[in-house]
Amino acid sequence: MIHIVLFQPEKPANTGNILRLAMAIDAKVHIIGPLSFKLDDHAFLRAGMDYLMDADYEIYENYEHFCNLNRQIKIFYITRFGQHLYSDINFTNSNEDIYLMFGKESTGIDKEILRNNLDKTLRIPILSSARSLNLSNCVAIVVYEVLRQQNFPSLAYQEQMRKNVID
């Protein structure tokens, strides 16, 4: 299973979009607080739509709370300071849970966390003049690389909900 870990997300719309994505691919989201918004925020609810009621997510007070409840897991930290490209990691072992941590929109993952895990930091390549990408876009980029490597397990390859509009 893919686990998307959000370290102190700040934008309710990004968090809602990520929960919507997670529901659509059967991933779990771990949200590490403190949060700067409420889960009944209009932007959060609008972005997550009706997917939120089926999304699998857990909220933690802080990073220590997350670590205490998730011991002995291997986490990849997605950051502009990453030592490896996200696409260079082999995610094909589908028997293993994959944890991907993404930082808050303004400052990313806490530097102390990164310092202690440099060998597990991943980077999405962008121009050196660009500061960052949107958080929900970063999640989608990395998560879909994991899914691609695993041949999109359990995901539909054809439209299942609507009649084919091409016919």
Side-chain angles (χ1 to χ4, degrees):
M1 174 178 251
I2 297 173
H3 295 263
I4 301 165
V5 182
L6 302 179
F7 179 79
Q8 301 177 351
E10 299 167 316
K11 307 283 186 194
N14 280 335
T15 305
N17 282 334
I18 293 164
L19 282 165
R20 182 178 175 183
L21 168 69
M23 183 271 157
I25 62 169
D26 197 25
K28 180 169 183 173
V29 178
H30 303 263
I31 304 172
I32 299 172
L35 296 177
S36 61
F37 61 90
K38 295 188 183 317
L39 295 180
D40 62 355
D41 183 284
H42 175 73
F44 172 75
L45 297 173
R46 183 171 184 236
M49 298 174 40
D50 58 335
Y51 291 84
L52 292 176
M53 65 183 136
D54 294 322
D56 183 6
Y57 67 97
E58 192 167 345
I59 299 174
Y60 305 86
E61 292 176 34
N62 52 42
Y63 182 68
E64 292 76 27
H65 183 215
F66 169 79
C67 290
N68 287 336
L69 294 178
N70 296 281
R71 296 186 186 277
Q72 298 181 356
I73 59 172
K74 181 178 180 182
I75 303 176
F76 292 98
Y77 302 84
I78 291 64
T79 171
R80 64 185 174 146
F81 305 110
Q83 303 291 303
H84 310 280
L85 294 180
Y86 75 97
S87 55
D88 288 344
I89 303 302
N90 182 350
F91 293 111
T92 57
N93 185 358
S94 59
N95 296 330
E96 187 177 291
D97 282 353
I98 297 169
Y99 286 78
L100 305 165
M101 182 182 286
F102 299 83
K104 60 177 143 182
E105 290 88 342
S106 63
T107 58
I109 300 169
D110 184 270
K111 304 298 182 271
E112 191 62 31
I113 296 170
L114 295 177
R115 270 196 280 288
N116 294 330
N117 297 284
L118 279 177
D119 60 323
K120 294 177 268 174
T121 58
L122 307 180
R123 176 181 176 79
I124 299 170
I126 59 174
L127 291 174
S128 59
S129 59
R131 192 173 58 252
S132 65
L133 297 173
N134 173 276
L135 176 61
S136 60
N137 290 341
C138 291
V139 171
I141 289 168
V142 177
V143 164
Y144 265 87
E145 173 61 15
V146 173
L147 292 168
R148 183 195 67 77
Q149 288 185 26
Q150 297 177 350
N151 293 315
F152 304 101
S154 303
L155 301 184
Y157 279 74
Q158 296 177 342
E159 176 61 45
Q160 302 295 312
M161 298 182 68
R162 294 182 185 88
K163 186 177 179 181
N164 190 345
V165 295
I166 298 173
D167 293 338

